[in-house]
Amino acid sequence: MRIIFITAAFIVAACSQVKPAVTSDPHPVVLAHVEAFNVQDAKAMAEVEHPDIEWLTATGSEILVEVSGRENLTKSMEEFFKSPTKIAGTLRDWSVNGNYIAVTETAHWSTSSGEAKSQSALTVYQLEDNLIRRVWYYPSVEN
């Protein structure tokens, strides 16, 4: 079973240009995104997403683009929310560096037999214009 997390991973780009730091507190933007995910509201998620959002997964030495664009991500989330498995995320270990926010996201769900499960992953959000521009997910570990 593939679990999609609403959080982002940390990327260090030695020679890349970085936009100036976010001018307001990034916590409400990221929290709004995860809260909307938790209630399975793809449209509310989209309200805090940049039109050109990129949803990325880091796997070993590769970074895969899972979804590009707000409309595509909204459609993807609407399909994901049709699953009978309901997943909720929590965030901890916040670290803010300019317009990058690294968190540990823990996904919680129950199996069809009622067994509680969870797994955590490092996630990094990049904000642009106080909207989520990119989300990187790193490999998860079972809790």
Side-chain angles (χ1 to χ4, degrees), residues 1 3 85-88 107-111 115-119:
M1 177 169 117
I3 304 299
T85 302
K86 303 305 176 203
I87 300 168
H108 307 269
W109 71 96
S110 294
T111 65
E115 180 185 5
K117 294 284 207 171
S118 67
Q119 64 185 36

Side-chain angles (χ1 to χ4, degrees), residues 75-128:
K75 288 176 190 173
S76 177
M77 286 289 95
E78 288 171 344
E79 285 301 311
F80 180 74
F81 292 148
K82 291 178 183 177
S83 167
T85 302
K86 303 305 176 203
I87 300 168
T90 57
L91 305 175
R92 70 177 196 278
D93 305 328
W94 291 71
S95 177
V96 178
N97 185 31
N99 59 335
Y100 294 89
I101 302 89
V103 297
T104 300
E105 180 168 343
T106 302
H108 307 269
W109 71 96
S110 294
T111 65
S112 58
S113 65
E115 180 185 5
K117 294 284 207 171
S118 67
Q119 64 185 36
S120 298
L122 176 64
T123 306
V124 176
Y125 291 85
Q126 177 189 12
L127 299 187
E128 185 176 307

Side-chain angles (χ1 to χ4, degrees), residues 46-54 69-70 128-129 131-134:
E47 291 177 10
V48 292
E49 295 169 355
H50 189 279
D52 299 320
I53 189 169
E54 291 179 309
R70 182 191 295 152
E128 185 176 307
D129 300 325
L131 296 171
I132 298 169
R133 177 63 175 88
R134 288 184 182 87

Side-chain angles (χ1 to χ4, degrees), residues 13-33:
C15 297
S16 68
Q17 292 185 357
V18 177
K19 293 198 176 251
V22 176
T23 57
S24 65
D25 184 6
H27 292 81
V29 175
V30 174
L31 285 171
H33 200 253

Side-chain angles (χ1 to χ4, degrees), residues 30-51:
V30 174
L31 285 171
H33 200 253
V34 172
E35 289 169 4
F37 174 84
N38 287 345
V39 297
Q40 299 187 343
D41 188 341
K43 290 186 182 2
M45 289 174 67
E47 291 177 10
V48 292
E49 295 169 355
H50 189 279

